[in-house]
mmCIF file of all heavy atoms in Angstrom:
data_model
loop_
_atom_site.group_PDB
_atom_site.id
_atom_site.type_symbol
_atom_site.label_atom_id
_atom_site.label_comp_id
_atom_site.label_asym_id
_atom_site.label_seq_id
_atom_site.Cartn_x
_atom_site.Cartn_y
_atom_site.Cartn_z
ATOM 1 N N GLY F 1 0.836 -1.203 -0.034
ATOM 2 C CA GLY F 1 0.065 0.038 0.006
ATOM 3 C C GLY F 1 0.844 1.313 0.034
ATOM 4 O O GLY F 1 0.519 2.264 -0.659
ATOM 5 N N LYS F 2 1.906 1.346 0.762
ATOM 6 C CA LYS F 2 2.794 2.523 0.815
ATOM 7 C C LYS F 2 4.148 2.311 0.743
ATOM 8 O O LYS F 2 5.017 3.171 0.315
ATOM 9 C CB LYS F 2 2.525 3.182 2.212
ATOM 10 C CG LYS F 2 0.993 3.550 2.629
ATOM 11 C CD LYS F 2 1.042 4.050 4.073
ATOM 12 C CE LYS F 2 -0.317 4.384 4.560
ATOM 13 N NZ LYS F 2 -0.356 4.879 5.903
ATOM 14 N N THR F 3 4.690 1.087 1.052
ATOM 15 C CA THR F 3 6.078 0.921 1.197
ATOM 16 C C THR F 3 6.906 0.488 0.035
ATOM 17 O O THR F 3 7.964 1.058 -0.261
ATOM 18 C CB THR F 3 6.263 -0.161 2.341
ATOM 19 O OG1 THR F 3 5.474 0.232 3.510
ATOM 20 C CG2 THR F 3 7.707 -0.232 2.755
ATOM 21 N N THR F 4 6.473 -0.603 -0.685
ATOM 22 C CA THR F 4 7.421 -1.232 -1.708
ATOM 23 C C THR F 4 7.386 -0.585 -3.019
ATOM 24 O O THR F 4 6.576 0.285 -3.371
ATOM 25 C CB THR F 4 6.829 -2.698 -1.877
ATOM 26 O OG1 THR F 4 5.461 -2.645 -2.334
ATOM 27 C CG2 THR F 4 6.907 -3.513 -0.585
ATOM 28 N N ASN F 5 8.486 -0.889 -3.735
ATOM 29 C CA ASN F 5 8.631 -0.327 -5.159
ATOM 30 C C ASN F 5 8.785 -1.485 -6.181
ATOM 31 O O ASN F 5 8.794 -1.167 -7.291
ATOM 32 C CB ASN F 5 9.844 0.562 -5.161
ATOM 33 C CG ASN F 5 11.191 0.044 -4.447
ATOM 34 O OD1 ASN F 5 11.443 -1.124 -4.750
ATOM 35 N ND2 ASN F 5 11.689 0.883 -3.641
ATOM 36 N N HIS F 6 8.916 -2.699 -5.779
ATOM 37 C CA HIS F 6 8.898 -3.836 -6.584
ATOM 38 C C HIS F 6 8.005 -4.915 -6.037
ATOM 39 O O HIS F 6 7.802 -4.923 -4.851
ATOM 40 C CB HIS F 6 10.383 -4.478 -6.794
ATOM 41 C CG HIS F 6 11.217 -3.488 -7.673
ATOM 42 N ND1 HIS F 6 11.684 -2.275 -7.272
ATOM 43 C CD2 HIS F 6 11.801 -3.845 -8.836
ATOM 44 C CE1 HIS F 6 12.427 -1.841 -8.203
ATOM 45 N NE2 HIS F 6 12.562 -2.718 -9.254
ATOM 46 N N ALA F 7 7.669 -5.883 -6.945
ATOM 47 C CA ALA F 7 6.958 -7.054 -6.532
ATOM 48 C C ALA F 7 7.234 -8.290 -7.378
ATOM 49 O O ALA F 7 7.623 -8.136 -8.582
ATOM 50 C CB ALA F 7 5.358 -6.714 -6.634
ATOM 51 N N VAL F 8 7.232 -9.486 -6.750
ATOM 52 C CA VAL F 8 7.196 -10.671 -7.596
ATOM 53 C C VAL F 8 5.658 -10.891 -7.783
ATOM 54 O O VAL F 8 4.866 -11.107 -6.924
ATOM 55 C CB VAL F 8 7.728 -11.927 -6.686
ATOM 56 C CG1 VAL F 8 7.549 -13.145 -7.427
ATOM 57 C CG2 VAL F 8 9.246 -11.676 -6.490
ATOM 58 N N VAL F 9 5.405 -10.792 -9.138
ATOM 59 C CA VAL F 9 3.999 -10.896 -9.517
ATOM 60 C C VAL F 9 3.752 -12.225 -10.194
ATOM 61 O O VAL F 9 4.398 -12.632 -11.248
ATOM 62 C CB VAL F 9 3.769 -9.709 -10.539
ATOM 63 C CG1 VAL F 9 2.270 -9.854 -11.084
ATOM 64 C CG2 VAL F 9 4.051 -8.345 -9.911
ATOM 65 N N LEU F 10 2.599 -12.869 -9.929
ATOM 66 C CA LEU F 10 2.223 -14.135 -10.447
ATOM 67 C C LEU F 10 1.169 -13.791 -11.529
ATOM 68 O O LEU F 10 0.204 -13.034 -11.198
ATOM 69 C CB LEU F 10 1.671 -15.054 -9.506
ATOM 70 C CG LEU F 10 2.612 -16.125 -8.875
ATOM 71 C CD1 LEU F 10 3.738 -15.420 -8.174
ATOM 72 C CD2 LEU F 10 1.867 -17.086 -7.991
ATOM 73 N N ALA F 11 1.437 -14.172 -12.705
ATOM 74 C CA ALA F 11 0.631 -14.005 -13.892
ATOM 75 C C ALA F 11 0.550 -15.141 -14.879
ATOM 76 O O ALA F 11 1.479 -16.001 -14.893
ATOM 77 C CB ALA F 11 1.117 -12.777 -14.612
ATOM 78 N N GLN F 12 -0.446 -15.172 -15.708
ATOM 79 C CA GLN F 12 -0.620 -16.184 -16.686
ATOM 80 C C GLN F 12 0.363 -15.822 -17.911
ATOM 81 O O GLN F 12 0.238 -14.734 -18.492
ATOM 82 C CB GLN F 12 -2.054 -16.267 -17.249
ATOM 83 C CG GLN F 12 -3.119 -16.548 -16.161
ATOM 84 C CD GLN F 12 -3.091 -18.032 -15.805
ATOM 85 O OE1 GLN F 12 -2.449 -18.810 -16.364
ATOM 86 N NE2 GLN F 12 -4.065 -18.360 -14.941
ATOM 87 N N LEU F 13 1.275 -16.722 -18.228
ATOM 88 C CA LEU F 13 2.197 -16.464 -19.214
ATOM 89 C C LEU F 13 1.660 -16.842 -20.578
ATOM 90 O O LEU F 13 1.350 -18.019 -20.861
ATOM 91 C CB LEU F 13 3.569 -17.320 -18.894
ATOM 92 C CG LEU F 13 4.586 -17.381 -19.998
ATOM 93 C CD1 LEU F 13 5.145 -15.922 -20.342
ATOM 94 C CD2 LEU F 13 5.629 -18.273 -19.492
ATOM 95 N N TYR F 14 1.754 -15.883 -21.551
ATOM 96 C CA TYR F 14 1.304 -16.220 -22.890
ATOM 97 C C TYR F 14 2.440 -15.886 -23.804
ATOM 98 O O TYR F 14 3.243 -14.763 -23.782
ATOM 99 C CB TYR F 14 0.230 -15.182 -23.303
ATOM 100 C CG TYR F 14 -1.240 -15.562 -22.703
ATOM 101 C CD1 TYR F 14 -1.585 -15.067 -21.503
ATOM 102 C CD2 TYR F 14 -2.079 -16.404 -23.464
ATOM 103 C CE1 TYR F 14 -2.745 -15.494 -20.951
ATOM 104 C CE2 TYR F 14 -3.298 -16.763 -23.012
ATOM 105 C CZ TYR F 14 -3.677 -16.285 -21.660
ATOM 106 O OH TYR F 14 -4.862 -16.614 -21.074
ATOM 107 N N THR F 15 2.640 -16.813 -24.778
ATOM 108 C CA THR F 15 3.677 -16.564 -25.831
ATOM 109 C C THR F 15 3.314 -17.260 -27.020
ATOM 110 O O THR F 15 2.794 -18.508 -26.923
ATOM 111 C CB THR F 15 5.111 -17.033 -25.344
ATOM 112 O OG1 THR F 15 6.074 -16.727 -26.314
ATOM 113 C CG2 THR F 15 5.284 -18.370 -24.970
ATOM 114 N N GLY F 16 3.407 -16.680 -28.255
ATOM 115 C CA GLY F 16 2.968 -17.316 -29.446
ATOM 116 C C GLY F 16 1.487 -17.694 -29.428
ATOM 117 O O GLY F 16 1.086 -18.638 -30.074
ATOM 118 N N GLY F 17 0.666 -16.793 -28.675
ATOM 119 C CA GLY F 17 -0.730 -17.242 -28.588
ATOM 120 C C GLY F 17 -1.134 -18.394 -27.703
ATOM 121 O O GLY F 17 -2.294 -18.617 -27.573
ATOM 122 N N LYS F 18 -0.191 -18.955 -26.968
ATOM 123 C CA LYS F 18 -0.640 -20.044 -26.183
ATOM 124 C C LYS F 18 -0.304 -19.657 -24.688
ATOM 125 O O LYS F 18 0.684 -18.987 -24.330
ATOM 126 C CB LYS F 18 0.400 -21.276 -26.530
ATOM 127 C CG LYS F 18 0.060 -22.498 -25.576
ATOM 128 C CD LYS F 18 1.015 -23.676 -26.063
ATOM 129 C CE LYS F 18 0.714 -24.864 -25.192
ATOM 130 N NZ LYS F 18 1.669 -26.018 -25.585
ATOM 131 N N CYS F 19 -1.132 -20.147 -23.719
ATOM 132 C CA CYS F 19 -0.970 -19.834 -22.340
ATOM 133 C C CYS F 19 -0.225 -21.038 -21.701
ATOM 134 O O CYS F 19 -0.576 -22.194 -21.886
ATOM 135 C CB CYS F 19 -2.312 -19.779 -21.670
ATOM 136 S SG CYS F 19 -2.191 -19.422 -19.798
ATOM 137 N N HIS F 20 0.849 -20.751 -21.006
ATOM 138 C CA HIS F 20 1.635 -21.741 -20.380
ATOM 139 C C HIS F 20 1.464 -21.741 -18.827
ATOM 140 O O HIS F 20 2.344 -22.300 -18.116
ATOM 141 C CB HIS F 20 3.124 -21.364 -20.546
ATOM 142 C CG HIS F 20 3.402 -21.507 -22.085
ATOM 143 N ND1 HIS F 20 3.715 -22.758 -22.753
ATOM 144 C CD2 HIS F 20 3.512 -20.635 -23.083
ATOM 145 C CE1 HIS F 20 4.010 -22.640 -23.968
ATOM 146 N NE2 HIS F 20 3.871 -21.289 -24.266
ATOM 147 N N GLY F 21 0.388 -21.166 -18.364
ATOM 148 C CA GLY F 21 0.042 -21.082 -16.929
ATOM 149 C C GLY F 21 0.825 -20.107 -15.953
ATOM 150 O O GLY F 21 1.318 -19.187 -16.541
ATOM 151 N N ILE F 22 0.690 -20.233 -14.795
ATOM 152 C CA ILE F 22 1.155 -19.286 -13.780
ATOM 153 C C ILE F 22 2.698 -19.199 -13.747
ATOM 154 O O ILE F 22 3.306 -20.272 -13.562
ATOM 155 C CB ILE F 22 0.580 -19.435 -12.430
ATOM 156 C CG1 ILE F 22 -0.955 -19.159 -12.490
ATOM 157 C CG2 ILE F 22 1.193 -18.538 -11.442
ATOM 158 C CD1 ILE F 22 -1.297 -17.772 -12.852
ATOM 159 N N HIS F 23 3.252 -18.051 -13.969
ATOM 160 C CA HIS F 23 4.729 -17.870 -13.636
ATOM 161 C C HIS F 23 4.990 -16.611 -12.987
ATOM 162 O O HIS F 23 3.995 -15.694 -12.804
ATOM 163 C CB HIS F 23 5.422 -17.793 -15.069
ATOM 164 C CG HIS F 23 5.439 -19.139 -15.692
ATOM 165 N ND1 HIS F 23 4.355 -19.770 -16.344
ATOM 166 C CD2 HIS F 23 6.555 -20.099 -15.918
ATOM 167 C CE1 HIS F 23 4.771 -20.893 -16.829
ATOM 168 N NE2 HIS F 23 6.001 -21.051 -16.621
ATOM 169 N N ALA F 24 6.240 -16.359 -12.379
ATOM 170 C CA ALA F 24 6.522 -15.256 -11.577
ATOM 171 C C ALA F 24 7.414 -14.273 -12.340
ATOM 172 O O ALA F 24 8.209 -14.582 -13.082
ATOM 173 C CB ALA F 24 7.228 -15.782 -10.395
ATOM 174 N N PHE F 25 7.162 -13.053 -12.161
ATOM 175 C CA PHE F 25 7.838 -11.866 -12.825
ATOM 176 C C PHE F 25 8.215 -10.884 -11.669
ATOM 177 O O PHE F 25 7.528 -10.644 -10.827
ATOM 178 C CB PHE F 25 7.004 -11.302 -13.866
ATOM 179 C CG PHE F 25 6.537 -12.296 -14.935
ATOM 180 C CD1 PHE F 25 5.410 -13.047 -14.776
ATOM 181 C CD2 PHE F 25 7.177 -12.398 -16.064
ATOM 182 C CE1 PHE F 25 5.027 -13.995 -15.645
ATOM 183 C CE2 PHE F 25 6.866 -13.388 -17.023
ATOM 184 C CZ PHE F 25 5.670 -14.151 -16.832
ATOM 185 N N ILE F 26 9.320 -10.166 -11.909
ATOM 186 C CA ILE F 26 9.624 -8.988 -11.119
ATOM 187 C C ILE F 26 9.215 -7.786 -11.826
ATOM 188 O O ILE F 26 9.571 -7.488 -12.997
ATOM 189 C CB ILE F 26 11.218 -8.903 -10.910
ATOM 190 C CG1 ILE F 26 11.761 -10.311 -10.242
ATOM 191 C CG2 ILE F 26 11.465 -7.777 -9.977
ATOM 192 C CD1 ILE F 26 13.316 -10.289 -10.070
ATOM 193 N N VAL F 27 8.345 -7.022 -11.107
ATOM 194 C CA VAL F 27 7.849 -5.854 -11.787
ATOM 195 C C VAL F 27 7.979 -4.684 -10.834
ATOM 196 O O VAL F 27 7.606 -4.731 -9.680
ATOM 197 C CB VAL F 27 6.311 -6.014 -12.111
ATOM 198 C CG1 VAL F 27 5.791 -4.785 -12.741
ATOM 199 C CG2 VAL F 27 6.106 -7.328 -12.834
ATOM 200 N N GLN F 28 8.491 -3.667 -11.237
ATOM 201 C CA GLN F 28 8.544 -2.319 -10.532
ATOM 202 C C GLN F 28 7.293 -1.529 -10.629
ATOM 203 O O GLN F 28 6.710 -1.450 -11.710
ATOM 204 C CB GLN F 28 9.738 -1.501 -11.090
ATOM 205 C CG GLN F 28 10.002 -0.202 -10.222
ATOM 206 C CD GLN F 28 11.114 0.616 -10.837
ATOM 207 O OE1 GLN F 28 12.009 0.183 -11.679
ATOM 208 N NE2 GLN F 28 11.162 1.862 -10.362
ATOM 209 N N HIS F 29 6.795 -1.062 -9.487
ATOM 210 C CA HIS F 29 5.525 -0.265 -9.476
ATOM 211 C C HIS F 29 5.626 1.120 -9.156
ATOM 212 O O HIS F 29 4.776 1.916 -9.181
ATOM 213 C CB HIS F 29 4.468 -1.060 -8.755
ATOM 214 C CG HIS F 29 4.823 -1.460 -7.396
ATOM 215 N ND1 HIS F 29 5.231 -2.770 -7.158
ATOM 216 C CD2 HIS F 29 4.789 -0.808 -6.260
ATOM 217 C CE1 HIS F 29 5.487 -2.846 -5.744
ATOM 218 N NE2 HIS F 29 5.294 -1.692 -5.246
ATOM 219 N N ARG F 30 6.800 1.525 -8.464
ATOM 220 C CA ARG F 30 6.974 2.834 -8.004
ATOM 221 C C ARG F 30 8.393 3.521 -8.404
ATOM 222 O O ARG F 30 9.306 2.688 -8.577
ATOM 223 C CB ARG F 30 6.911 3.087 -6.532
ATOM 224 C CG ARG F 30 5.484 2.917 -5.897
ATOM 225 C CD ARG F 30 5.294 3.289 -4.484
ATOM 226 N NE ARG F 30 4.020 3.245 -3.983
ATOM 227 C CZ ARG F 30 3.439 2.280 -3.301
ATOM 228 N NH1 ARG F 30 4.040 1.123 -3.022
ATOM 229 N NH2 ARG F 30 2.159 2.413 -2.849
ATOM 230 N N ASP F 31 8.349 4.818 -8.751
ATOM 231 C CA ASP F 31 9.605 5.387 -9.042
ATOM 232 C C ASP F 31 10.578 5.370 -7.946
ATOM 233 O O ASP F 31 10.213 5.535 -6.775
ATOM 234 C CB ASP F 31 9.291 6.854 -9.458
ATOM 235 C CG ASP F 31 10.469 7.575 -10.010
ATOM 236 O OD1 ASP F 31 11.243 8.135 -9.131
ATOM 237 O OD2 ASP F 31 10.639 7.616 -11.249
ATOM 238 N N MET F 32 11.814 5.140 -8.217
ATOM 239 C CA MET F 32 12.862 5.006 -7.181
ATOM 240 C C MET F 32 13.268 6.260 -6.541
ATOM 241 O O MET F 32 13.751 6.247 -5.392
ATOM 242 C CB MET F 32 14.119 4.234 -7.750
ATOM 243 C CG MET F 32 13.874 2.885 -8.379
ATOM 244 S SD MET F 32 13.189 1.675 -7.142
ATOM 245 C CE MET F 32 14.544 1.503 -6.048
ATOM 246 N N GLU F 33 13.013 7.337 -7.149
ATOM 247 C CA GLU F 33 13.284 8.675 -6.619
ATOM 248 C C GLU F 33 12.101 9.301 -5.860
ATOM 249 O O GLU F 33 12.171 9.803 -4.856
ATOM 250 C CB GLU F 33 13.874 9.600 -7.796
ATOM 251 C CG GLU F 33 15.182 9.074 -8.345
ATOM 252 C CD GLU F 33 16.240 9.112 -7.450
ATOM 253 O OE1 GLU F 33 16.301 9.894 -6.435
ATOM 254 O OE2 GLU F 33 17.197 8.134 -7.571
ATOM 255 N N THR F 34 10.927 9.326 -6.676
ATOM 256 C CA THR F 34 9.817 10.042 -6.122
ATOM 257 C C THR F 34 8.799 9.205 -5.353
ATOM 258 O O THR F 34 7.941 9.708 -4.644
ATOM 259 C CB THR F 34 9.023 10.724 -7.214
ATOM 260 O OG1 THR F 34 8.434 9.656 -8.109
ATOM 261 C CG2 THR F 34 9.915 11.581 -8.074
ATOM 262 N N HIS F 35 9.031 7.817 -5.572
ATOM 263 C CA HIS F 35 8.072 6.872 -4.845
ATOM 264 C C HIS F 35 6.666 6.961 -5.472
ATOM 265 O O HIS F 35 5.778 6.422 -4.828
ATOM 266 C CB HIS F 35 8.010 6.996 -3.404
ATOM 267 C CG HIS F 35 7.655 5.749 -2.656
ATOM 268 N ND1 HIS F 35 8.413 4.446 -2.840
ATOM 269 C CD2 HIS F 35 6.673 5.419 -1.846
ATOM 270 C CE1 HIS F 35 7.849 3.602 -2.061
ATOM 271 N NE2 HIS F 35 6.763 4.079 -1.505
ATOM 272 N N GLN F 36 6.406 7.664 -6.532
ATOM 273 C CA GLN F 36 5.168 7.759 -7.157
ATOM 274 C C GLN F 36 4.902 6.535 -8.091
ATOM 275 O O GLN F 36 5.869 6.035 -8.653
ATOM 276 C CB GLN F 36 5.054 9.022 -7.950
ATOM 277 C CG GLN F 36 5.066 10.328 -7.073
ATOM 278 C CD GLN F 36 3.974 10.326 -6.076
ATOM 279 O OE1 GLN F 36 2.797 10.222 -6.488
ATOM 280 N NE2 GLN F 36 4.304 10.458 -4.822
ATOM 281 N N PRO F 37 3.649 6.129 -8.339
ATOM 282 C CA PRO F 37 3.419 5.058 -9.169
ATOM 283 C C PRO F 37 3.988 5.301 -10.594
ATOM 284 O O PRO F 37 3.809 6.447 -11.129
ATOM 285 C CB PRO F 37 1.796 4.974 -9.211
ATOM 286 C CG PRO F 37 1.456 5.606 -7.825
ATOM 287 C CD PRO F 37 2.397 6.710 -7.634
ATOM 288 N N LEU F 38 4.304 4.315 -11.239
ATOM 289 C CA LEU F 38 4.911 4.435 -12.550
ATOM 290 C C LEU F 38 3.746 4.433 -13.571
ATOM 291 O O LEU F 38 2.672 4.051 -13.228
ATOM 292 C CB LEU F 38 5.797 3.277 -12.960
ATOM 293 C CG LEU F 38 7.174 3.209 -12.085
ATOM 294 C CD1 LEU F 38 7.943 1.833 -12.448
ATOM 295 C CD2 LEU F 38 7.996 4.359 -12.371
ATOM 296 N N PRO F 39 3.957 4.979 -14.842
ATOM 297 C CA PRO F 39 2.955 4.992 -15.792
ATOM 298 C C PRO F 39 2.318 3.656 -16.020
ATOM 299 O O PRO F 39 3.015 2.652 -16.099
ATOM 300 C CB PRO F 39 3.685 5.510 -16.994
ATOM 301 C CG PRO F 39 4.796 6.268 -16.538
ATOM 302 C CD PRO F 39 5.277 5.572 -15.271
ATOM 303 N N GLY F 40 0.979 3.638 -16.091
ATOM 304 C CA GLY F 40 0.294 2.406 -16.347
ATOM 305 C C GLY F 40 -0.030 1.610 -15.139
ATOM 306 O O GLY F 40 -0.504 0.457 -15.308
ATOM 307 N N ILE F 41 0.323 2.177 -13.971
ATOM 308 C CA ILE F 41 0.121 1.351 -12.718
ATOM 309 C C ILE F 41 -0.686 2.127 -11.735
ATOM 310 O O ILE F 41 -0.505 3.269 -11.516
ATOM 311 C CB ILE F 41 1.495 1.046 -12.108
ATOM 312 C CG1 ILE F 41 2.261 0.068 -12.958
ATOM 313 C CG2 ILE F 41 1.323 0.489 -10.699
ATOM 314 C CD1 ILE F 41 3.675 -0.340 -12.517
ATOM 315 N N GLU F 42 -1.669 1.414 -11.211
ATOM 316 C CA GLU F 42 -2.505 1.957 -10.112
ATOM 317 C C GLU F 42 -2.141 1.127 -8.874
ATOM 318 O O GLU F 42 -2.158 -0.184 -8.895
ATOM 319 C CB GLU F 42 -3.952 1.729 -10.341
ATOM 320 C CG GLU F 42 -4.538 2.534 -11.471
ATOM 321 C CD GLU F 42 -6.088 2.278 -11.724
ATOM 322 O OE1 GLU F 42 -6.754 2.583 -10.758
ATOM 323 O OE2 GLU F 42 -6.279 1.610 -12.715
ATOM 324 N N VAL F 43 -1.688 1.759 -7.763
ATOM 325 C CA VAL F 43 -1.260 1.163 -6.595
ATOM 326 C C VAL F 43 -1.743 2.036 -5.303
ATOM 327 O O VAL F 43 -1.683 3.156 -5.435
ATOM 328 C CB VAL F 43 0.252 0.855 -6.538
ATOM 329 C CG1 VAL F 43 0.963 2.111 -6.641
ATOM 330 C CG2 VAL F 43 0.688 0.035 -5.438
ATOM 331 N N GLY F 44 -2.132 1.244 -4.325
ATOM 332 C CA GLY F 44 -2.507 1.945 -3.072
ATOM 333 C C GLY F 44 -2.863 1.028 -1.931
ATOM 334 O O GLY F 44 -2.713 -0.166 -2.019
ATOM 335 N N ASP F 45 -3.295 1.549 -0.771
ATOM 336 C CA ASP F 45 -3.628 0.883 0.363
ATOM 337 C C ASP F 45 -5.094 0.528 0.276
ATOM 338 O O ASP F 45 -5.915 1.156 -0.055
ATOM 339 C CB ASP F 45 -3.277 1.702 1.502
ATOM 340 C CG ASP F 45 -3.383 0.998 2.867
ATOM 341 O OD1 ASP F 45 -4.502 0.950 3.475
ATOM 342 O OD2 ASP F 45 -2.400 0.443 3.380
#
């Protein structure tokens, strides 16, 4: 809600039009300097 800037995100993996199921990805969601949400991301408490 307030603290983190990265997450290990579980998502359905698609490649070549085929779903390969749940996999983990590292995704940044806040700016490292301003701590504001990055473009395309909604995040909150």
Side-chain angles (χ1 to χ4, degrees):
K2 301 177 182 179
T3 308
T4 57
N5 46 45
H6 284 69
V8 169
V9 178
L10 265 60
Q12 302 282 1
L13 168 61
Y14 286 86
T15 180
K18 181 180 179 181
C19 180
H20 296 280
I22 293 297
H23 289 71
F25 303 83
I26 303 173
V27 187
Q28 183 179 346
H29 49 261
R30 286 189 174 97
D31 186 274
M32 300 300 292
E33 298 296 330
T34 66
H35 205 60
Q36 293 301 305
L38 294 176
I41 292 177
E42 297 177 66
V43 61
D45 188 273

